[in-house]
Amino acid sequence: MDFNITAGEEVVVFHVASLVQDGLFPTDDDLAEELGEEVRSVLRSLLGKGWLVVDEDRELALSTIARHVVSSRRDAEGPQA
């Protein structure tokens, strides 16, 4: 896993994490419709770096390590208002 991600990639990781936490498993098409076509290159990069995984239905989720990183980061930031 490549832990070096850009600020833009980080925004997408936390967005996907938020959707998954809400019980939604977006596809690349869903995110492109919501965030714009340029998100596809960010998704490819995150898949290549091991932050995201995709299932047979093209639904995106965080990898096991990414879930841990996101969870740890949220814990460090404290409760959200």
Side-chain angles (χ1 to χ4, degrees):
M1 180 170 183
D2 183 350
F3 286 97
N4 297 311
I5 62 173
T6 67
E9 289 171 335
E10 184 176 331
V11 168
V12 173
V13 165
F14 277 87
H15 184 68
V16 171
S18 177
L19 292 171
V20 170
Q21 185 177 7
D22 291 342
L24 304 171
F25 295 89
T27 65
D28 58 326
D29 290 336
D30 296 332
L31 291 175
E33 184 176 317
E34 180 183 355
L35 304 174
E37 285 296 318
E38 60 276 0
V39 78
R40 291 185 193 276
S41 64
V42 175
L43 294 173
R44 279 192 297 276
S45 178
L46 290 168
L47 286 164
K49 291 179 179 182
W51 283 82
L52 297 179
V53 294
V54 62
D55 68 13
E56 63 274 357
D57 294 325
R58 294 181 37 230
E59 294 176 334
L60 297 163
L62 299 183
S63 68
T64 302
I65 295 173
R67 284 194 311 266
H68 177 71
V69 170
V70 168
S71 176
S72 295
R73 177 97 175 265
R74 285 183 175 158
D75 290 345
E77 291 175 356
Q80 301 295 317

